[in-house]
Amino acid sequence: MSVIVKSDQNNILKGYNMLLYFAGSMIMYEPAEECVNDFITNGIVKSLPVSSGNPRFIEAASRLRESCRNLAFCTKLLQDDFRRLFSSSGELLAPPFKSSHLTDQRNGAASESVTDFYNAYGWKFRSRYNIQDDHLGIELLFLTLLTDKYISFDDEACQVEMKNEIRRFIDEHLFTWLPSWNSDVQEKAMTDCYKGIASLIYASCEDIYRLLDGNNDAGKPGISKN
């Protein structure tokens, strides 16, 4: 990969990391007005850091841009929806836990747990969140850390290995249950914001997986021209 292409790819990945960091925080914690403003109302969604031809990404971006015209009112709706969808103190209509969506192991074999994946990279910082390891917000945070590590490597062999690890993590610990979780949110969320956030998370993971494929650049995500 040329220096220019690698630089472009790094900037695109940084853009997706920004989206996943904010979107993940909206799933982990009841949204505060400041967070809603920074991410949706006047923030990142209004001028997306990446462009994508992924129909799911396009639909999510459009839904988010058309929502939250009144910040205070929108924040209250999102807080209510968060409690219904994701909080154990609420109805938990769309539990953001891998274990809630997977009851069997693929091919009948025990797969590597997400905890084992974290431990293999010595990631202990997650304990400060006091949230179980298979929570979507924690998995997305770990994905951004892997991506940051990939960006930091100059050695091509290390880049190839980390690229494969990122794709393996997405394949085994996100794609296995994100479709089911996203479907729950689309069906049960009251707000367009959370429907858009769920689709944005799913689409961003799809785009990162495709971007790191390395076989065909046509139609892959790019740097936003906004």
Side-chain angles (χ1 to χ4, degrees):
M1 181 179 293
S2 71
V3 173
I4 294 176
V5 172
K6 182 64 166 65
S7 175
D8 285 346
Q9 185 189 69
N10 286 350
N11 287 332
I12 295 166
L13 289 171
K14 288 175 183 177
Y16 279 109
N17 270 7
M18 184 185 301
L19 291 176
L20 290 177
Y21 180 82
F22 276 93
S25 70
M26 296 283 287
I27 304 301
M28 288 174 68
Y29 303 111
E30 183 175 306
E33 187 170 297
E34 180 180 5
C35 183
V36 175
N37 185 60
D38 288 345
F39 182 51
I40 300 174
T41 310
N42 294 310
I44 294 171
V45 170
K46 296 298 181 182
S47 55
L48 288 168
V50 294
S51 63
S52 173
N54 184 337
R56 200 188 317 276
F57 188 97
I58 294 170
E59 185 275 334
S62 176
R63 189 187 290 272
L64 286 168
R65 282 171 171 158
E66 293 302 315
S67 62
C68 272
R69 298 186 181 277
N70 182 307
L71 178 59
F73 181 65
C74 181
T75 301
K76 177 61 168 61
L77 290 179
L78 285 172
Q79 290 171 342
D80 291 343
D81 220 8
F82 176 90
R83 297 185 195 111
R84 291 176 63 256
L85 296 168
F86 312 127
S87 175
S88 58
S89 61
E91 298 175 72
L92 202 61
L93 297 177
F97 304 98
K98 179 181 179 182
S99 54
S100 297
H101 295 267
L102 292 183
T103 56
D104 58 350
Q105 300 291 343
R106 289 180 297 174
N107 302 322
S111 62
E112 179 184 29
S113 74
V114 72
T115 297
D116 291 338
F117 212 121
Y118 300 157
N119 289 340
Y121 282 86
W123 190 42
K124 303 183 184 302
F125 186 65
R126 66 188 187 273
S127 61
R128 72 184 288 269
Y129 295 98
N130 197 29
I131 298 174
Q132 66 190 62
D133 281 351
D134 69 337
H135 189 286
L136 178 57
I138 297 295
E139 292 196 3
L140 293 177
L141 183 59
F142 183 67
L143 175 58
T144 66
L145 294 176
L146 290 181
T147 306
D148 281 339
K149 188 178 288 289
Y150 170 79
I151 291 171
S152 71
F153 286 142
D154 292 323
D155 181 77
E156 185 174 353
C158 291
Q159 291 171 359
V160 170
E161 180 65 24
M162 183 52 60
K163 177 181 67 176
N164 292 338
E165 283 291 272
I166 291 170
R167 283 169 55 84
R168 184 167 74 90
F169 180 76
I170 293 173
D171 195 36
E172 295 182 3
H173 298 293
L174 286 165
F175 282 167
T176 50
W177 68 284
L178 260 182
S180 172
W181 175 79
N182 181 55
S183 294
D184 283 351
V185 177
Q186 302 308 317
E187 178 184 350
K188 298 169 183 176
M190 295 188 301
T191 60
D192 278 344
C193 282
Y194 267 122
K195 290 180 181 181
I197 287 170
S199 292
L200 183 70
I201 289 172
Y202 188 5
S204 295
C205 290
E206 289 178 316
D207 286 352
I208 292 171
Y209 190 83
R210 187 179 181 200
L211 182 66
L212 295 178
D213 180 5
N215 292 325
N216 183 7
D217 289 336
K220 287 187 178 179
I223 302 170
S224 176
K225 304 301 182 182
N226 293 335

